[in-house]
């Protein structure tokens, strides 16, 4: 049986983001922030039940804009920063030069491998909520294409002085909330974002969104991602072997997520690799999947749990 640690990773990442949605805002926990973030959250929920499909599918954007207007009325927007942004700019390839650092390459290359697992988890969730298969040749083709696209996009991003890019799990929350999963819509949105990227003043406006406003929206979006992760896990055969892999990787990753200083005394390279919950869960899950025998714990399982592989429970073999 082929084990997939990616769903557990997707679930963990979503839960972690939900818990961190409001953290970092100025005056964290103040009544003003709670009302602002809660108001945005409630507005998105209410707009999502409007009968009009166009309005309903725009609930996230409308909620953000309402939050932006309320924040501006409250004096939380600094328009002087917006006026300082240039109107138009064109990206220059390798504007900051080109160099290579082995110390930076090794941990980042390793994290790229783990990111591929994240991509697989995100695309699995996308396939499920879009009504596409999560097994078989078509599913595997989608996973391969997604990982390849991540690599190509990251290479282009590096050329144009940006950070590497990867699939973002909260996009699955957008699909669930809007009901729109068409790739052609994605093409148009990508074109719009490319065009908007030429106008820094637009980016300056969105960077003025207060964290409670963003948190009010992302709280709901990442919660829907967590729900998708649970749905994916529900498709896994919970054999004794699978439970051990999921529990170990999830438990260690949660430890790193909630106690980030656990590796504070370790070397920097070790912290670069194992300081991320995603990295830890991916490494542990892959390692256990490789070293644990396929028939590990089969004596505790039923025949139905191993219907898709060659492993037979001890009671059936007897």
């Amino acid at each position: 049986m082929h084990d997939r640690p990616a769903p557990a990773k997707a679930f963990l990442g979503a839960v972690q983001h939900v818990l961190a949605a409001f953290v970092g805002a100025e005056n964290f926990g103040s009544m003003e922030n709670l009302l602002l973030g809660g108001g945005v959250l409630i507005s998105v929920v209410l707009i999502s039940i409007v009968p009009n499909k166009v309005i309903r599918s725009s609930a996230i954007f409308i909620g953000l804009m309402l939050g932006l207007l309320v924040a501006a009325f409250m004096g939380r927007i600094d328009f002087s920063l917006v006026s300082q942004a240039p109107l138009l700019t064109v990206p220059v390839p390798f504007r900051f030069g080109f160099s290579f650092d082995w110390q930076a390459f090794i941990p980042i290359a390793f994290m790229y491998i783990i990111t591929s697992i994240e991509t697989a988890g995100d695309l699995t969730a996308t396939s499920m909520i879009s009504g596409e298969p999560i097994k078989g040749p078509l599913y595997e083709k989608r996973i391969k294409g997604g990982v390849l696209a991540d690599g190509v996009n990251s290479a282009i991003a590096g050329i144009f002085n940006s950070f590497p890019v990867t699939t973002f799990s909260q996009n699955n929350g957008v699909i669930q909330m809007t009901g729109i999963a068409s790739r052609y819509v994605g093409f148009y949105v990508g074109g719009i974002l490319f065009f908007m990227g030429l106008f820094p003043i637009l980016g300056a406006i969105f960077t003025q969104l207060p964290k409670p406003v963003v948190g009010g929206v992302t709280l709901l979006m990442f919660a829907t991602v967590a729900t998708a992760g649970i749905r994916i896990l529900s498709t896994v055969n919970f054999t004794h072997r699978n439970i051990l892999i999921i529990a170990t990787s999830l438990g260690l990753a949660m430890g790193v997520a909630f106690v980030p200083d656990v590796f504070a005394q370790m070397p920097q390279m070790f912290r670069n690799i194992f300081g991320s919950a995603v990295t830890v869960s991916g490494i542990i899950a892959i390692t256990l999947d490789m070293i644990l025998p396929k028939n590990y714990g089969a004596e505790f399982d039923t025949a139905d749990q191993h219907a898709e592989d060659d492993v037979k429970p001890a009671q059936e073999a007897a």
Side-chain angles (χ1 to χ4, degrees):
M1 179 179 177
H2 178 64
D3 300 305
R4 293 177 297 178
K9 190 284 315 168
F11 173 70
L12 171 69
V15 172
Q16 181 183 358
H17 280 295
V18 168
L19 294 177
F22 289 102
V23 176
E26 297 179 5
N27 302 322
F28 172 68
S30 67
M31 180 61 68
E32 180 181 280
N33 282 344
L34 292 176
L35 289 176
L36 185 57
V40 172
L41 175 63
I42 293 174
S43 66
V44 173
V45 172
L46 293 178
I47 297 171
S48 298
I49 61 177
V50 172
N52 187 286
K53 292 183 179 180
V54 176
I55 297 178
R56 186 171 65 241
S57 62
S58 305
I60 298 173
F61 179 76
I62 295 176
L64 283 174
M65 292 301 99
L66 289 176
L68 181 62
L69 291 175
V70 174
F73 180 77
M74 297 169 62
R76 300 285 296 270
I77 307 297
D78 187 358
F79 290 101
S80 64
L81 297 177
V82 177
S83 62
Q84 296 174 6
L87 178 61
L88 176 67
T89 185
V90 178
V92 179
F94 300 114
R95 182 171 183 175
F96 303 104
F98 182 85
S99 62
F100 187 84
D101 187 344
W102 277 103
Q103 292 184 346
F105 169 76
I106 294 176
I108 291 178
F110 195 82
M111 293 180 68
Y112 257 80
I113 298 176
I114 303 303
T115 300
S116 299
I117 302 175
E118 181 181 8
T119 299
D122 292 340
L123 295 179
T124 300
T126 301
S127 297
M128 171 171 284
I129 63 181
S130 303
E132 297 290 334
I134 57 173
K135 292 182 180 179
L138 179 58
Y139 165 74
E140 294 178 359
K141 180 180 179 181
R142 292 169 62 93
I143 297 297
K144 293 177 182 178
V147 173
L148 177 61
D150 268 5
V152 174
N153 290 338
S154 296
I156 296 175
I159 293 174
F160 287 98
N161 321 299
S162 182
F163 292 106
V165 294
T166 184
T167 54
F168 212 32
S169 56
Q170 73 186 48
N171 291 325
N172 290 313
V174 175
I175 294 175
Q176 290 192 97
M177 294 181 63
T178 63
I180 299 174
S182 171
R183 68 179 65 186
Y184 298 103
V185 174
F187 295 156
Y188 288 117
V189 172
I192 293 173
L193 292 177
F194 176 83
F195 181 76
M196 292 176 63
L198 301 176
F199 300 92
I201 191 172
L202 296 177
I205 294 175
F206 283 102
T207 57
Q208 292 300 304
L209 282 170
K211 290 184 179 180
V213 174
V214 179
V217 175
T218 56
L219 183 68
L220 183 60
M221 292 170 61
F222 279 117
T224 58
V225 176
T227 305
I230 295 173
R231 289 179 59 189
I232 295 173
L233 283 175
S234 67
T235 66
V236 176
N237 286 323
F238 280 93
T239 64
H240 190 77
R241 182 178 185 273
N242 289 348
I243 290 175
L244 180 64
I245 293 175
I246 294 174
T248 305
S249 59
L250 189 61
L252 291 174
M254 290 180 69
V256 173
F258 297 133
V259 189
D261 296 331
V262 65
F263 296 133
Q265 303 301 320
M266 301 302 292
Q268 182 62 44
M269 180 171 291
F270 184 92
R271 296 201 303 269
N272 290 341
I273 296 175
F274 295 96
S276 166
V278 173
T279 304
V280 170
S281 61
I283 293 174
I284 297 302
I286 292 175
T287 303
L288 290 177
D289 186 52
M290 292 175 60
I291 65 176
L292 287 180
K294 295 298 181 182
N295 60 350
Y296 175 82
E299 63 271 18
F300 302 106
D301 304 326
T302 64
D304 293 340
Q305 291 177 294
H306 294 276
E308 298 180 0
D309 54 42
D310 298 328
V311 176
K312 292 185 178 181
Q315 54 266 44
E316 181 180 322

